Amino acid sequence: MSATGLDNTTLAQVAIVVRDIEEACRRWAKILGQPVPQVILTQPGEEVHMTYRGQPSNAQAKLAFFQLGPVQLELIEPIGEPSTWKEALDKRGESVHHIAFWTKDMGASARFLQEQGIPLVQRGDMGEGQYAYFDAEQQLGVQIELLERVRKERVG
């Protein structure tokens, strides 16, 4: 982490929110010439210490992933609310939700983004690690997701 940017600028993922993940998987598989990926259901928000805009949320999502070289294409169908996924789908319909980067220090990266006027919107645990979404739509036109493999501290 530096005062001049994120500690890792290797793009990990581009994600799209969708209304029907099974149908979206079929459409993308056909275009990409890849098999239809497995759809997984996230754990309920309360089980992964999920917060949305600083408040606990029990929302979930169906997820599917296409590995496209070093970058994943993630499809997200929101289940329940409140969540940044549901908010984005309601606001813009099926559209790009976020771009994601891995970080080695979520706390420092979160502080850096917040100093840039990019606030934390949602976070949750993922196994030993965590994810966090930051609202960079005004500055960059899209949310940023940071992914941390081993959680040092929960952000938020």
Side-chain angles (χ1 to χ4, degrees), residues 68-140:
L68 306 175
V71 177
Q72 282 184 333
L73 172 64
E74 178 183 26
L75 303 178
I76 305 169
E77 178 185 334
I79 306 293
E81 52 186 293
S83 73
T84 184
W85 312 305
K86 178 78 166 100
E87 180 182 275
L89 189 60
D90 289 347
K91 184 177 175 182
R92 291 185 306 280
E94 293 190 340
S95 59
V96 173
H97 178 263
H98 69 264
I99 59 172
F101 304 90
W102 287 102
T103 184
K104 292 179 181 166
D105 188 339
M106 179 71 79
S109 294
R111 286 186 291 280
F112 172 78
L113 288 173
Q114 290 172 348
E115 288 167 3
Q116 307 311 306
I118 301 173
L120 175 68
V121 178
Q122 180 174 310
R123 63 93 38 219
D125 293 346
M126 49 178 212
E128 294 180 350
Q130 67 182 316
Y131 72 89
Y133 295 109
F134 298 84
D135 185 356
E137 290 188 29
Q138 183 177 353
Q139 296 91 335
L140 304 174

Side-chain angles (χ1 to χ4, degrees), residues 1-14:
M1 178 82 264
S2 77
T4 60
L6 293 174
D7 64 352
N8 183 350
T9 56
T10 301
L11 186 63
Q13 185 181 80
V14 174

Side-chain angles (χ1 to χ4, degrees), residues 23-92:
E23 178 58 31
C25 283
R26 287 190 290 274
R27 290 191 317 255
W28 276 98
K30 182 177 181 180
I31 295 299
L32 297 172
Q34 291 193 1
V36 174
Q38 176 184 1
V39 173
I40 61 170
L41 178 64
T42 63
Q43 294 174 275
E46 64 187 21
E47 293 179 21
V48 294
H49 305 278
M50 182 175 150
T51 61
Y52 171 72
R53 301 199 181 276
Q55 299 300 313
S57 173
N58 204 34
Q60 294 177 265
K62 291 182 182 178
L63 307 176
F65 301 90
F66 289 92
Q67 194 63 47
L68 306 175
V71 177
Q72 282 184 333
L73 172 64
E74 178 183 26
L75 303 178
I76 305 169
E77 178 185 334
I79 306 293
E81 52 186 293
S83 73
T84 184
W85 312 305
K86 178 78 166 100
E87 180 182 275
L89 189 60
D90 289 347
K91 184 177 175 182
R92 291 185 306 280

